[in-house]
Amino acid sequence: MKFSVLTLFPEQVKRFLGESILGRAEEKGILEIDAVDIRDFSGNHYGKVDDTLFGGGTGMLMQCEPVYQAYLSVCSGDDTKKPHCIFMSPKGAVLTQEKARELSKYEHLVILCGHYEGIDQRVLDEIVDEDISIGDYVLTGGEVAACVVIDCISRMVDGVLPNSEAYEEESHMQGYLEAPQYTKPNIWHDKAVPEVMLSGNHAKIKEWKRLHGLYDTWKRRPDMLEKLDISAEDWQKILQIEREESEKRKQVPPVDE
Ligand code: SAH
């Protein structure tokens, strides 16, 4: 899968995405991530790409033409193969796992990053297919947001993680959160790993993970659980976990004043 990030700060994007899992996927040729410097398309000696706002207001706005030329530079020229173009914006729909899964189906995504006050609306109207936000807050630029989007999409691209199980069982993939996880040693600070984890009984472990995932979702994100059709039987089991957890809490010795 190919990503073309249009940005005024290509190094920021490259530095983040060149490391770890995504860096290795790029080396293997599974991902291609290009960071295109919009300033290269300024058309002037100073690399100036922004100007003051019409109608007044603080700050500078990125101009149409450099953004447009940067966009054209990553298009093949074949109109039937126009890449899907995303603008990172606090005005967009907030990114979800479902949205990331949908975007992972595209062969080529162009991700446009604003900076300063943002970008002149006219070029956005001409090239952007959809706006995406990473949350209801404002950043100084779209670069960090673009990295979040690319990271989230990439782990679902075939070959980036060892197998699809590595991401299908994560939080949010099935509408609920992942159960707690444990590794060695078996006992740490007097806390033991749940017995079932050491039992080798795969069916039991799977059921434990499912129920504890639902339990954690109920405690942390009840809004997510509302969207799932939880059976009466599962509710009984979730409430049983709640009783066990509250017993455990009672056993913790009180802290000395
Ligand atoms: N004037 C704009 C904010 C500009 S912030 C407004 O009020 O809507 C500068 C740039 O940072 C934006 O153009 C966008 O690309 C990026 N950005 C800021 N917050 C973001 C968010 N929550 N999600 C995605 N991109 C964001």
Side-chain angles (χ1 to χ4, degrees):
M1 180 168 186
K2 181 173 174 179
F3 297 94
S4 303
V5 185
L6 311 182
T7 167
L8 290 178
F9 298 92
E11 288 309 318
Q12 215 178 47
V13 175
K14 281 194 230 160
R15 212 176 307 133
F16 178 81
L17 297 170
E19 304 261 358
S20 183
I21 299 172
L22 301 192
R24 286 198 295 277
E26 209 183 347
E27 272 167 27
K28 283 194 233 158
I30 303 166
L31 299 177
E32 184 182 339
I33 307 171
D34 298 330
V36 176
D37 192 344
I38 296 172
R39 225 176 274 285
D40 289 345
F41 301 88
S42 68
N44 58 62
H45 291 310
Y46 322 101
K48 183 171 158 38
V49 290
D50 56 0
D51 215 319
T52 51
L53 289 142
F54 280 130
T58 323
M60 302 291 271
L61 199 65
M62 288 166 66
Q63 294 165 295
C64 291
E65 193 57 19
V67 171
Y68 187 59
Q69 291 303 329
Y71 167 76
L72 289 183
S73 80
V74 298
C75 293
S76 63
D78 176 353
D79 272 353
T80 59
K81 286 193 185 151
K82 190 189 148 334
H84 191 73
C85 182
I86 294 170
F87 175 45
M88 299 315 310
S89 165
K91 289 160 73 176
V94 176
L95 181 71
T96 60
Q97 193 69 50
E98 214 178 322
K99 179 47 108 179
R101 194 194 279 272
E102 185 190 314
L103 293 172
S104 72
K105 306 282 183 265
Y106 287 99
E107 255 171 57
H108 183 193
L109 280 183
V110 175
I111 304 186
L112 173 60
C113 303
H115 223 93
Y116 315 119
E117 272 307 303
I119 302 181
D120 189 310
Q121 187 63 38
R122 292 168 294 178
V123 67
L124 299 177
D125 290 344
E126 202 151 317
I127 66 172
V128 172
D129 294 299
E130 61 180 318
D131 290 4
I132 292 191
S133 163
I134 61 160
D136 290 341
Y137 40 77
V138 179
L139 306 166
T140 55
E143 288 70 20
V144 170
C147 290
V148 168
V149 168
I150 293 173
D151 187 298
C152 181
I153 294 174
S154 296
R155 55 202 307 286
M156 289 185 286
V157 171
D158 275 352
V160 172
L161 295 183
N163 52 51
S164 65
E165 222 172 69
Y167 64 81
E168 289 295 352
E169 291 182 2
E170 308 272 34
S171 297
H172 296 286
M173 294 301 289
Q174 282 133 354
Y176 59 96
L177 305 177
E178 188 178 60
Q181 303 187 101
Y182 303 91
T183 183
K184 286 172 186 155
N186 299 11
I187 297 178
W188 181 82
H189 282 198
D190 287 339
K191 293 182 178 73
V193 170
E195 252 177 64
V196 61
M197 288 295 160
L198 311 172
S199 69
N201 183 329
H202 294 298
K204 266 193 175 167
I205 293 173
K206 200 171 169 199
E207 180 64 355
W208 187 96
K209 285 185 180 174
R210 188 181 72 84
L211 289 170
H212 280 258
L214 289 174
Y215 172 73
D216 270 7
T217 313
W218 177 52
K219 297 300 276 187
R220 292 160 189 252
R221 290 289 305 272
D223 58 305
M224 286 174 68
L225 213 58
E226 271 170 28
K227 293 181 197 139
L228 297 176
D229 202 9
I230 307 289
S231 68
E233 199 185 327
D234 276 351
W235 267 120
Q236 288 305 323
K237 291 175 184 166
I238 293 169
L239 294 172
Q240 178 58 29
I241 296 174
E242 170 68 351
R243 283 191 284 275
E244 287 164 15
E245 290 296 320
S246 87
E247 271 310 307
K248 262 194 238 162
R249 285 194 290 272
K250 277 186 211 152
Q251 284 163 18
V252 175
V255 181
D256 289 339
E257 289 288 308

